[in-house]
Short mmCIF file of all heavy atoms in Angstrom, two decimals:
data_model
loop_
_atom_site.label_atom_id
_atom_site.label_comp_id
_atom_site.label_asym_id
_atom_site.label_seq_id
_atom_site.Cartn_x
_atom_site.Cartn_y
_atom_site.Cartn_z
N LEU A 74 -84.84 -34.74 -72.85
CA LEU A 74 -83.70 -34.08 -72.25
C LEU A 74 -83.33 -32.72 -72.99
O LEU A 74 -82.80 -31.83 -72.33
CB LEU A 74 -82.46 -34.95 -72.30
CG LEU A 74 -82.61 -36.12 -71.23
CD1 LEU A 74 -81.29 -36.93 -71.45
CD2 LEU A 74 -82.78 -35.65 -69.83
N ILE A 75 -83.63 -32.59 -74.22
CA ILE A 75 -83.22 -31.49 -75.13
C ILE A 75 -83.59 -30.06 -74.40
O ILE A 75 -82.61 -29.22 -74.15
CB ILE A 75 -83.69 -31.46 -76.49
CG1 ILE A 75 -83.03 -32.49 -77.25
CG2 ILE A 75 -83.51 -30.13 -77.15
CD1 ILE A 75 -81.46 -32.26 -77.50
N ASN A 76 -84.76 -29.85 -74.24
CA ASN A 76 -85.29 -28.46 -73.61
C ASN A 76 -84.87 -28.43 -72.10
O ASN A 76 -84.71 -27.30 -71.61
CB ASN A 76 -86.72 -28.28 -73.87
CG ASN A 76 -87.04 -27.72 -75.27
OD1 ASN A 76 -86.18 -26.83 -75.64
ND2 ASN A 76 -88.10 -28.22 -75.80
N ILE A 77 -84.83 -29.48 -71.41
CA ILE A 77 -84.55 -29.53 -70.09
C ILE A 77 -83.11 -29.06 -69.86
O ILE A 77 -82.80 -28.16 -68.95
CB ILE A 77 -84.66 -30.93 -69.47
CG1 ILE A 77 -86.11 -31.37 -69.33
CG2 ILE A 77 -83.92 -31.06 -68.04
CD1 ILE A 77 -86.83 -30.51 -68.31
N ILE A 78 -82.13 -29.44 -70.74
CA ILE A 78 -80.78 -28.98 -70.67
C ILE A 78 -80.60 -27.64 -71.29
O ILE A 78 -79.86 -26.70 -70.67
CB ILE A 78 -79.89 -30.06 -71.32
CG1 ILE A 78 -79.96 -31.39 -70.49
CG2 ILE A 78 -78.38 -29.43 -71.43
CD1 ILE A 78 -79.11 -32.49 -71.26
N ALA A 79 -81.26 -27.35 -72.37
CA ALA A 79 -81.00 -26.14 -73.05
C ALA A 79 -81.55 -25.03 -72.34
O ALA A 79 -81.09 -23.82 -72.25
CB ALA A 79 -81.79 -26.17 -74.52
N ARG A 80 -82.62 -25.23 -71.52
CA ARG A 80 -83.25 -24.03 -70.78
C ARG A 80 -82.80 -24.13 -69.24
O ARG A 80 -83.44 -23.51 -68.45
CB ARG A 80 -84.79 -24.23 -70.79
CG ARG A 80 -85.34 -24.01 -72.27
CD ARG A 80 -85.05 -22.64 -72.70
NE ARG A 80 -84.74 -22.68 -74.12
CZ ARG A 80 -84.31 -21.65 -74.87
NH1 ARG A 80 -84.07 -20.46 -74.35
NH2 ARG A 80 -84.08 -21.68 -76.20
N ARG A 81 -81.85 -24.97 -69.02
CA ARG A 81 -81.26 -24.99 -67.66
C ARG A 81 -82.25 -25.44 -66.68
O ARG A 81 -82.35 -24.93 -65.46
CB ARG A 81 -80.66 -23.67 -67.21
CG ARG A 81 -79.49 -23.27 -68.22
CD ARG A 81 -78.92 -21.84 -67.75
NE ARG A 81 -77.81 -21.53 -68.68
CZ ARG A 81 -77.13 -20.29 -68.54
NH1 ARG A 81 -77.48 -19.57 -67.48
NH2 ARG A 81 -76.27 -20.07 -69.41
N MET A 82 -83.22 -26.31 -67.00
CA MET A 82 -84.22 -26.90 -66.11
C MET A 82 -83.79 -28.25 -65.52
O MET A 82 -84.55 -28.70 -64.83
CB MET A 82 -85.51 -27.08 -66.82
CG MET A 82 -86.14 -25.63 -67.27
SD MET A 82 -87.70 -25.84 -68.16
CE MET A 82 -88.06 -24.16 -68.61
N PHE A 83 -82.63 -28.65 -65.91
CA PHE A 83 -82.19 -30.00 -65.39
C PHE A 83 -81.89 -30.00 -63.88
O PHE A 83 -82.12 -30.96 -63.18
CB PHE A 83 -80.90 -30.41 -66.11
CG PHE A 83 -80.63 -31.82 -66.00
CD1 PHE A 83 -81.33 -32.86 -66.62
CD2 PHE A 83 -79.44 -32.19 -65.26
CE1 PHE A 83 -81.05 -34.24 -66.40
CE2 PHE A 83 -79.12 -33.57 -65.07
CZ PHE A 83 -79.94 -34.51 -65.68
N PHE A 84 -81.39 -28.78 -63.35
CA PHE A 84 -81.01 -28.72 -62.11
C PHE A 84 -82.24 -28.39 -61.16
O PHE A 84 -82.35 -27.22 -60.71
CB PHE A 84 -79.83 -27.72 -61.94
CG PHE A 84 -78.68 -28.08 -62.67
CD1 PHE A 84 -78.38 -27.36 -63.92
CD2 PHE A 84 -77.84 -29.12 -62.32
CE1 PHE A 84 -77.42 -27.60 -64.69
CE2 PHE A 84 -76.77 -29.46 -63.24
CZ PHE A 84 -76.54 -28.68 -64.41
N THR A 85 -83.08 -29.22 -60.98
CA THR A 85 -84.25 -29.04 -60.22
C THR A 85 -84.49 -30.21 -59.28
O THR A 85 -83.72 -31.25 -59.22
CB THR A 85 -85.56 -28.82 -61.10
OG1 THR A 85 -85.73 -30.19 -61.85
CG2 THR A 85 -85.39 -27.72 -62.03
N LEU A 86 -85.66 -30.18 -58.56
CA LEU A 86 -86.05 -31.22 -57.72
C LEU A 86 -86.41 -32.46 -58.49
O LEU A 86 -86.42 -33.60 -57.88
CB LEU A 86 -87.29 -30.90 -56.85
CG LEU A 86 -87.02 -29.97 -55.68
CD1 LEU A 86 -88.28 -29.40 -55.09
CD2 LEU A 86 -86.18 -30.69 -54.50
N ASP A 87 -86.55 -32.38 -59.78
CA ASP A 87 -86.99 -33.57 -60.67
C ASP A 87 -86.09 -34.59 -60.60
O ASP A 87 -86.42 -35.78 -60.68
CB ASP A 87 -87.29 -33.15 -62.01
CG ASP A 87 -88.34 -31.91 -62.21
OD1 ASP A 87 -88.88 -31.60 -61.09
OD2 ASP A 87 -88.51 -31.40 -63.33
N VAL A 88 -84.78 -34.37 -60.62
CA VAL A 88 -83.84 -35.45 -60.57
C VAL A 88 -83.92 -36.19 -59.18
O VAL A 88 -83.79 -37.48 -59.34
CB VAL A 88 -82.32 -34.82 -60.69
CG1 VAL A 88 -81.25 -35.89 -60.62
CG2 VAL A 88 -82.17 -34.00 -61.91
N LEU A 89 -84.10 -35.60 -58.14
CA LEU A 89 -84.26 -36.23 -56.91
C LEU A 89 -85.74 -37.23 -57.09
O LEU A 89 -85.63 -38.40 -56.59
CB LEU A 89 -84.56 -35.28 -55.78
CG LEU A 89 -84.90 -35.92 -54.44
CD1 LEU A 89 -83.86 -36.93 -53.88
CD2 LEU A 89 -85.19 -34.79 -53.35
N LEU A 90 -86.62 -36.63 -57.52
CA LEU A 90 -87.90 -37.37 -57.73
C LEU A 90 -87.74 -38.66 -58.58
O LEU A 90 -88.19 -39.82 -58.15
CB LEU A 90 -88.99 -36.54 -58.40
CG LEU A 90 -89.93 -35.71 -57.40
CD1 LEU A 90 -89.09 -34.66 -56.59
CD2 LEU A 90 -91.02 -34.93 -58.16
N ILE A 91 -86.97 -38.60 -59.57
CA ILE A 91 -86.80 -39.77 -60.51
C ILE A 91 -85.79 -40.78 -59.82
O ILE A 91 -86.10 -41.91 -59.76
CB ILE A 91 -86.13 -39.38 -61.86
CG1 ILE A 91 -87.16 -38.53 -62.62
CG2 ILE A 91 -85.79 -40.56 -62.60
CD1 ILE A 91 -86.62 -37.91 -63.86
N VAL A 92 -84.82 -40.27 -59.27
CA VAL A 92 -83.81 -41.30 -58.55
C VAL A 92 -84.63 -41.97 -57.25
O VAL A 92 -84.45 -43.23 -57.08
CB VAL A 92 -82.55 -40.54 -58.11
CG1 VAL A 92 -81.67 -41.42 -57.20
CG2 VAL A 92 -81.78 -40.10 -59.26
N TYR A 93 -85.21 -41.16 -56.51
CA TYR A 93 -86.11 -41.67 -55.42
C TYR A 93 -86.99 -42.55 -55.91
O TYR A 93 -87.31 -43.68 -55.32
CB TYR A 93 -86.69 -40.47 -54.74
CG TYR A 93 -87.42 -41.04 -53.39
CD1 TYR A 93 -86.71 -41.09 -52.18
CD2 TYR A 93 -88.71 -41.28 -53.49
CE1 TYR A 93 -87.37 -41.49 -51.01
CE2 TYR A 93 -89.49 -41.70 -52.26
CZ TYR A 93 -88.82 -41.85 -51.01
OH TYR A 93 -89.38 -42.19 -49.90
N PHE A 94 -87.75 -42.46 -56.98
CA PHE A 94 -88.73 -43.41 -57.56
C PHE A 94 -88.05 -44.70 -57.76
O PHE A 94 -88.69 -45.79 -57.70
CB PHE A 94 -89.42 -42.79 -58.75
CG PHE A 94 -90.40 -43.77 -59.40
CD1 PHE A 94 -91.54 -44.15 -58.85
CD2 PHE A 94 -90.06 -44.22 -60.64
CE1 PHE A 94 -92.54 -44.93 -59.40
CE2 PHE A 94 -91.05 -45.16 -61.31
CZ PHE A 94 -92.18 -45.51 -60.63
N LEU A 95 -86.87 -44.61 -58.38
CA LEU A 95 -86.17 -45.90 -58.78
C LEU A 95 -85.92 -46.67 -57.55
O LEU A 95 -85.97 -47.89 -57.47
CB LEU A 95 -84.95 -45.58 -59.50
CG LEU A 95 -85.00 -44.87 -60.89
CD1 LEU A 95 -83.71 -44.72 -61.43
CD2 LEU A 95 -85.89 -45.76 -61.79
N PHE A 96 -85.53 -45.91 -56.49
CA PHE A 96 -85.19 -46.55 -55.21
C PHE A 96 -86.52 -47.18 -54.60
O PHE A 96 -86.55 -48.22 -54.13
CB PHE A 96 -84.68 -45.50 -54.16
CG PHE A 96 -84.42 -46.04 -52.74
CD1 PHE A 96 -83.59 -47.03 -52.52
CD2 PHE A 96 -85.21 -45.42 -51.68
CE1 PHE A 96 -83.36 -47.48 -51.26
CE2 PHE A 96 -85.01 -45.91 -50.40
CZ PHE A 96 -84.05 -46.99 -50.23
N GLN A 97 -87.69 -46.46 -54.69
CA GLN A 97 -88.94 -47.02 -54.34
C GLN A 97 -89.29 -48.19 -55.01
O GLN A 97 -89.71 -49.24 -54.35
CB GLN A 97 -89.99 -46.00 -54.47
CG GLN A 97 -91.29 -46.42 -53.69
CD GLN A 97 -92.28 -45.20 -53.80
OE1 GLN A 97 -92.18 -44.23 -54.47
NE2 GLN A 97 -93.40 -45.41 -52.90
N LEU A 98 -89.15 -48.27 -56.38
CA LEU A 98 -89.48 -49.42 -57.17
C LEU A 98 -88.60 -50.59 -56.60
O LEU A 98 -89.09 -51.72 -56.50
CB LEU A 98 -89.08 -49.26 -58.58
CG LEU A 98 -89.96 -48.28 -59.39
CD1 LEU A 98 -89.48 -48.26 -60.92
CD2 LEU A 98 -91.44 -48.81 -59.41
N TYR A 99 -87.31 -50.34 -56.47
CA TYR A 99 -86.48 -51.44 -55.91
C TYR A 99 -86.87 -52.03 -54.47
O TYR A 99 -86.94 -53.19 -54.30
CB TYR A 99 -84.90 -50.91 -55.79
CG TYR A 99 -84.05 -51.97 -55.20
CD1 TYR A 99 -83.51 -53.02 -55.98
CD2 TYR A 99 -83.63 -51.84 -53.92
CE1 TYR A 99 -82.56 -53.85 -55.45
CE2 TYR A 99 -82.68 -52.77 -53.34
CZ TYR A 99 -82.18 -53.84 -54.13
OH TYR A 99 -81.25 -54.75 -53.61
N VAL A 100 -87.13 -51.19 -53.66
CA VAL A 100 -87.52 -51.57 -52.23
C VAL A 100 -88.81 -52.40 -52.30
O VAL A 100 -88.96 -53.48 -51.71
CB VAL A 100 -87.61 -50.25 -51.34
CG1 VAL A 100 -88.28 -50.78 -49.95
CG2 VAL A 100 -86.42 -49.59 -51.03
N ILE A 101 -89.85 -51.82 -53.00
CA ILE A 101 -91.11 -52.52 -52.97
C ILE A 101 -90.99 -53.85 -53.65
O ILE A 101 -91.59 -54.83 -53.30
CB ILE A 101 -92.18 -51.61 -53.60
CG1 ILE A 101 -92.42 -50.38 -52.70
CG2 ILE A 101 -93.55 -52.36 -53.77
CD1 ILE A 101 -93.34 -49.34 -53.32
N SER A 102 -90.19 -54.00 -54.72
CA SER A 102 -90.10 -55.17 -55.51
C SER A 102 -89.44 -56.27 -54.72
O SER A 102 -89.63 -57.43 -54.85
CB SER A 102 -89.24 -54.96 -56.73
OG SER A 102 -87.99 -54.58 -56.53
N LYS A 103 -88.77 -55.88 -53.66
CA LYS A 103 -88.01 -56.91 -52.76
C LYS A 103 -88.92 -57.33 -51.59
O LYS A 103 -88.46 -58.40 -50.90
CB LYS A 103 -86.73 -56.17 -52.17
CG LYS A 103 -85.59 -55.92 -53.26
CD LYS A 103 -85.14 -57.16 -53.92
CE LYS A 103 -84.14 -56.92 -54.96
NZ LYS A 103 -83.68 -58.09 -55.72
N ILE A 104 -89.98 -56.70 -51.50
CA ILE A 104 -90.85 -57.09 -50.36
C ILE A 104 -91.89 -58.19 -50.83
O ILE A 104 -92.37 -58.01 -51.86
CB ILE A 104 -91.69 -55.93 -49.79
CG1 ILE A 104 -90.73 -54.82 -49.24
CG2 ILE A 104 -92.65 -56.30 -48.65
CD1 ILE A 104 -91.47 -53.49 -48.81
N LYS A 105 -92.07 -59.27 -49.95
CA LYS A 105 -92.86 -60.39 -50.46
C LYS A 105 -94.37 -60.22 -50.04
O LYS A 105 -95.22 -60.66 -50.93
CB LYS A 105 -92.23 -61.66 -49.71
CG LYS A 105 -90.82 -61.98 -50.06
CD LYS A 105 -90.53 -62.14 -51.56
CE LYS A 105 -89.06 -62.36 -51.82
NZ LYS A 105 -88.82 -62.48 -53.17
N THR A 106 -94.67 -59.73 -49.00
CA THR A 106 -96.03 -59.67 -48.45
C THR A 106 -96.77 -58.46 -48.95
O THR A 106 -96.11 -57.33 -49.01
CB THR A 106 -96.28 -59.78 -47.08
OG1 THR A 106 -95.61 -58.70 -46.35
CG2 THR A 106 -95.62 -61.16 -46.50
N PHE A 107 -97.90 -58.49 -49.46
CA PHE A 107 -98.72 -57.45 -50.02
C PHE A 107 -98.97 -56.34 -49.08
O PHE A 107 -98.91 -55.17 -49.33
CB PHE A 107 -100.06 -57.92 -50.74
CG PHE A 107 -100.73 -56.83 -51.42
CD1 PHE A 107 -100.26 -56.42 -52.71
CD2 PHE A 107 -101.89 -56.12 -50.86
CE1 PHE A 107 -100.90 -55.40 -53.27
CE2 PHE A 107 -102.42 -55.12 -51.51
CZ PHE A 107 -102.02 -54.80 -52.76
N ARG A 108 -99.35 -56.67 -47.79
CA ARG A 108 -99.65 -55.71 -46.83
C ARG A 108 -98.36 -54.72 -46.45
O ARG A 108 -98.56 -53.55 -46.27
CB ARG A 108 -100.11 -56.36 -45.58
CG ARG A 108 -101.54 -56.95 -45.59
CD ARG A 108 -101.98 -57.56 -44.32
NE ARG A 108 -103.34 -58.05 -44.55
CZ ARG A 108 -104.08 -58.64 -43.34
NH1 ARG A 108 -103.37 -58.77 -42.25
NH2 ARG A 108 -105.13 -59.09 -43.70
N LEU A 109 -97.29 -55.49 -46.44
CA LEU A 109 -96.08 -54.73 -46.19
C LEU A 109 -95.63 -53.84 -47.34
O LEU A 109 -95.23 -52.66 -47.28
CB LEU A 109 -94.93 -55.64 -45.77
CG LEU A 109 -93.65 -55.12 -45.29
CD1 LEU A 109 -93.77 -54.16 -44.05
CD2 LEU A 109 -92.44 -56.05 -45.09
N LYS A 110 -95.97 -54.40 -48.56
CA LYS A 110 -95.83 -53.57 -49.68
C LYS A 110 -96.56 -52.29 -49.55
O LYS A 110 -96.02 -51.18 -49.97
CB LYS A 110 -96.22 -54.32 -50.99
CG LYS A 110 -95.17 -55.37 -51.55
CD LYS A 110 -95.74 -55.96 -52.83
CE LYS A 110 -94.87 -57.13 -53.29
NZ LYS A 110 -93.62 -56.58 -54.04
N ILE A 111 -97.80 -52.39 -49.34
CA ILE A 111 -98.57 -51.14 -49.24
C ILE A 111 -98.16 -50.28 -48.25
O ILE A 111 -98.23 -48.98 -48.38
CB ILE A 111 -100.21 -51.68 -48.87
CG1 ILE A 111 -100.77 -52.35 -50.19
CG2 ILE A 111 -101.00 -50.44 -48.52
CD1 ILE A 111 -101.08 -51.39 -51.34
N LEU A 112 -97.81 -50.78 -47.06
CA LEU A 112 -97.34 -49.99 -45.92
C LEU A 112 -96.10 -49.14 -46.37
O LEU A 112 -96.08 -47.86 -46.15
CB LEU A 112 -96.96 -50.80 -44.66
CG LEU A 112 -96.43 -49.99 -43.53
CD1 LEU A 112 -97.31 -48.90 -42.88
CD2 LEU A 112 -95.87 -50.98 -42.50
N ILE A 113 -95.13 -49.76 -46.88
CA ILE A 113 -93.87 -49.09 -47.25
C ILE A 113 -94.16 -48.20 -48.49
O ILE A 113 -93.58 -47.17 -48.53
CB ILE A 113 -92.82 -50.29 -47.70
CG1 ILE A 113 -92.45 -51.06 -46.52
CG2 ILE A 113 -91.54 -49.59 -48.19
CD1 ILE A 113 -91.96 -50.38 -45.32
N CYS A 114 -94.98 -48.59 -49.39
CA CYS A 114 -95.33 -47.79 -50.55
C CYS A 114 -95.96 -46.42 -50.06
O CYS A 114 -95.59 -45.34 -50.49
CB CYS A 114 -96.39 -48.49 -51.35
SG CYS A 114 -96.86 -47.48 -52.81
N ASN A 115 -96.78 -46.39 -49.13
CA ASN A 115 -97.49 -45.27 -48.53
C ASN A 115 -96.45 -44.38 -47.84
O ASN A 115 -96.39 -43.17 -48.01
CB ASN A 115 -98.52 -45.55 -47.60
CG ASN A 115 -99.98 -45.87 -48.22
OD1 ASN A 115 -100.33 -44.87 -49.02
ND2 ASN A 115 -100.45 -46.94 -48.14
N LEU A 116 -95.59 -45.01 -46.96
CA LEU A 116 -94.58 -44.26 -46.24
C LEU A 116 -93.61 -43.62 -47.10
O LEU A 116 -93.23 -42.39 -46.96
CB LEU A 116 -93.93 -45.18 -45.25
CG LEU A 116 -94.78 -45.74 -44.09
CD1 LEU A 116 -93.93 -46.68 -43.25
CD2 LEU A 116 -95.27 -44.52 -43.14
N MET A 117 -93.10 -44.31 -48.16
CA MET A 117 -92.14 -43.77 -49.03
C MET A 117 -92.73 -42.63 -49.88
O MET A 117 -92.14 -41.61 -50.10
CB MET A 117 -91.49 -44.90 -49.89
CG MET A 117 -90.72 -45.82 -49.07
SD MET A 117 -89.78 -47.02 -50.23
CE MET A 117 -88.45 -45.87 -50.78
N SER A 118 -93.94 -42.79 -50.27
CA SER A 118 -94.66 -41.82 -51.16
C SER A 118 -94.81 -40.55 -50.22
O SER A 118 -94.68 -39.45 -50.85
CB SER A 118 -95.86 -42.44 -51.64
OG SER A 118 -95.67 -43.32 -52.71
N ILE A 119 -95.37 -40.79 -49.06
CA ILE A 119 -95.63 -39.59 -48.26
C ILE A 119 -94.35 -38.79 -48.00
O ILE A 119 -94.43 -37.55 -47.99
CB ILE A 119 -96.31 -40.05 -46.94
CG1 ILE A 119 -97.75 -40.53 -47.15
CG2 ILE A 119 -96.29 -38.95 -45.99
CD1 ILE A 119 -98.41 -41.20 -46.00
N PHE A 120 -93.29 -39.44 -47.71
CA PHE A 120 -92.02 -38.79 -47.54
C PHE A 120 -91.72 -37.87 -48.73
O PHE A 120 -91.32 -36.63 -48.58
CB PHE A 120 -90.80 -39.80 -47.36
CG PHE A 120 -89.52 -39.17 -47.17
CD1 PHE A 120 -89.03 -38.79 -45.94
CD2 PHE A 120 -88.60 -39.04 -48.21
CE1 PHE A 120 -87.78 -38.32 -45.66
CE2 PHE A 120 -87.34 -38.52 -48.12
CZ PHE A 120 -87.01 -38.14 -46.83
N MET A 121 -91.80 -38.45 -49.90
CA MET A 121 -91.43 -37.53 -51.24
C MET A 121 -92.59 -36.55 -51.42
O MET A 121 -92.23 -35.46 -51.98
CB MET A 121 -91.28 -38.44 -52.29
CG MET A 121 -90.68 -37.62 -53.58
SD MET A 121 -89.25 -36.69 -53.25
CE MET A 121 -87.99 -38.02 -52.83
#
Side-chain angles (χ1 to χ4, degrees):
L74 293 179
I75 286 292
N76 277 319
I77 289 293
I78 294 173
R80 298 293 143 190
R81 299 180 182 178
M82 296 180 180
F83 192 73
F84 303 104
T85 63
L86 283 167
D87 302 354
V88 179
L89 171 60
L90 267 61
I91 295 172
V92 173
Y93 184 87
F94 176 69
L95 295 179
F96 176 63
Q97 187 176 14
L98 285 181
Y99 174 79
V100 171
I101 295 175
S102 66
K103 294 297 180 182
I104 299 173
K105 303 300 182 184
T106 61
F107 185 78
R108 288 184 179 180
L109 187 57
K110 278 180 185 284
I111 288 292
L112 175 63
I113 298 302
C114 182
N115 274 300
L116 290 176
M117 293 188 73
S118 290
I119 288 170
F120 178 86
M121 188 53 66

